[in-house]
Every structure is written in structure tokens, then in C-alpha cells.
Amino acid sequence: MPDDIQWTDPFSRLRLPEERSERTSFEMAELQLLFSGPLFTEHRFPLGAHGAAGFWLPVLALFTGARQAELGSLAANNVQVDAETNVPLIYFISERARGKRLKTEASERVVPVHPEVMRLGFMSYVAARGEADGQDAWLFPSVSPDKGRAGIPAWSQWFGRYLRTAGVTNKAKVFHSFRHTVKDALRRGRADHEAREALIGHAQQGTVSWGYGAPAMLARFTAAGLLDAINRINYPGLDLSRVKPLGLLSLPRCA
């Protein structure tokens, strides 16, 4: 349907039975294996990692629960600092003109940057991308939507192989497992149920709807409230102290 035509989807509440997904959360030992590899500790990037994407997509997924396509579609101007609270925020939004599409209406959301992601230099990386190619520049240009099958689909296949070589041999553990892992962490940290559903991008069910999108989320929960929920993401037993910050842009070393 053209964007300028108002319409209501008559099938919006229709759901077909589907098989239960075999994807499961990562165990702490599996996360330790992954983030102890030279890609994260020495910035030795395999060719299939597509440079900084190989580092940042798993790190961001571990602290946002975002899907790989959502992360690969981020631009520099999708990361902004809230003027009132000084909280850095990641905006997951659709831009059809640039090929950015989200899975559902509820997927359009805003997620604060976790302190651990800050420590690893994400905001410096974002600033460097914006300064290098403008504020609408893709954060990870080699896996951006305009790369088609050579972008995220190819990267996803590489990451699946990388997981196995890192020692995560359970085939039920894939990139989407980060999403389940974050859900578990938010639940374990006793984050507000409604806030954590919004952060993950789930449709609100059984409650009064507050609407969708970043503005609605900020109005409903505030940036400070969302940050409180994100700060509850914690992984007991996972040591990320050896992960080397990747702030400034540089030519990655090939493994």
C-alpha cells in the first residue's frame, strides 16, 4: 500500500499456529568463550566479520536484544543524547526510502545505551562515523541495507560459523539467542514488565496501549526510566574486562 493512504489491516490480530522455536539463550560459559576470542580482545577481524560490524553487532545485541538486521540498519543519527537527561539513546526506526524496515510496528522503539557499551567506546565510534561521512552515514556500511544479500545475510552466515569455531557448538545457539539472553537478564534484574516489553519491541498485550514508536516510549517511560531498566541487564560470571574498546575508527587487523 502507498505510504500516503490510510488503511487498517483486517488481519492484524490473526495469528497462525507455529512451531516452538528451538533457539535458546546463551549460557554464561558460552558468552565467555565468544567474547574471549581475539576479535574482541585484540581486534583481529576475520574477513567475514566485515570490520567493526563483527565487534559491535554482538556487543550491542548483548545489551539491547536487538535483531541483527535492526543493528545493521543503524545510522549515525539514530544514536542521540537526550537533551533533558543526557542519556544516550539508540532509535530503531524504519526508513523505507533507505531500505530500513522493522519486523513489526512495535519494533520501532528507543533503547538507552548500556554503561558497558559506553565503556567499550560506542559513542566515540558513532561520533567518528558521523564526522567521517555525515550524520546519515551507516554505522556499519559493509552490512547496511543497500548491500542486499552481501550485507546482513552474508554476515549472519559468517557469525554462525564463528560461533562454532569459538566453541559454542549447540546449533540452537544463534545470533537471535542474544535476544532471548537479554529477555532473561531483564527478567532476572526485575525490570518493569511493561518497560522491558517495550525495550525488546514486543506488542503490548493485556494492558492499556500506550502507542508505538520512540516518542510514545519516551512519553510513557522517560529516558531515565528506560535507562533504569537497561542498567538491570547484568551477566553474573561473565568477565568482559579483556574486551578491547573500539572507539576510534581504524583499519581492522585481519586474523
Side-chain angles (χ1 to χ4, degrees):
M1 297 289 290
D3 292 340
D4 58 346
I5 294 180
Q6 297 297 317
W7 66 287
T8 301
D9 182 1
F11 306 106
S12 62
R13 296 182 179 275
L14 179 63
R15 294 293 181 270
L16 297 176
E18 56 181 326
E19 295 182 2
R20 184 181 179 88
S21 173
E22 295 183 354
R23 296 166 177 169
T24 59
S25 304
F26 287 114
E27 301 291 337
M28 292 304 115
E30 293 172 326
L31 290 174
Q32 194 66 65
L33 284 172
L34 174 61
F35 289 104
S36 295
L39 188 157
F40 298 97
T41 61
E42 303 174 29
H43 294 171
R44 293 174 56 189
F45 293 80
L47 183 62
H50 286 276
F55 179 95
W56 281 120
L57 265 60
V59 168
L60 289 168
L62 183 64
F63 291 102
T64 66
R67 302 173 179 89
Q68 55 189 344
E70 294 174 337
L71 296 169
S73 298
L74 288 174
N77 57 13
N78 293 144
V79 183
Q80 302 175 19
V81 177
D82 182 67
E84 294 185 6
T85 62
N86 207 36
V87 174
L89 303 169
I90 303 174
Y91 288 77
F92 293 101
I93 60 175
S94 61
E95 293 181 67
R96 293 188 178 185
R98 303 192 74 191
K100 295 177 59 171
R101 292 177 173 83
L102 298 177
K103 186 174 182 180
T104 65
E105 185 180 33
S107 297
E108 187 155 313
R109 63 200 187 280
V110 58
V111 180
V113 180
H114 191 280
E116 187 67 14
V117 179
M118 294 278 287
R119 182 188 71 82
L120 292 175
F122 181 62
M123 296 304 290
S124 295
Y125 177 83
V126 172
R129 285 294 303 130
E131 291 173 3
D133 294 314
Q135 289 303 306
D136 61 346
W138 301 113
L139 287 184
F140 313 109
S142 58
V143 298
S144 59
D146 55 2
K147 293 296 186 292
R149 298 291 305 173
I152 279 294
W155 187 92
S156 181
Q157 292 182 359
W158 165 80
F159 184 76
R161 296 191 298 270
Y162 185 79
L163 269 181
R164 309 305 168 228
T165 59
V168 183
T169 57
N170 186 343
K171 293 185 178 180
K173 308 299 176 72
V174 295
F175 190 91
H176 198 79
S177 296
F178 284 119
R179 192 163 169 81
H180 294 285
T181 304
V182 169
K183 293 178 188 176
D184 291 345
L186 287 168
R187 191 178 302 112
R188 186 170 56 244
R190 298 185 178 182
D192 174 78
H193 173 76
E194 194 176 354
R196 75 181 188 231
E197 291 292 284
L199 288 167
I200 288 294
H202 285 169
Q204 301 297 305
Q205 298 178 353
T207 61
V208 177
S209 177
W210 45 264
Y212 297 108
M217 279 186 67
L218 291 172
R220 173 69 178 84
F221 304 105
T222 74
L226 293 173
L227 180 63
D228 175 74
I230 282 294
N231 284 349
R232 293 171 184 264
I233 297 176
N234 185 38
Y235 298 106
L238 175 62
D239 181 8
L240 297 178
S241 62
R242 293 183 57 222
V243 176
K244 186 178 179 181
L246 183 67
L248 299 178
L249 290 177
S250 59
L251 292 174
R253 294 171 55 194
C254 292

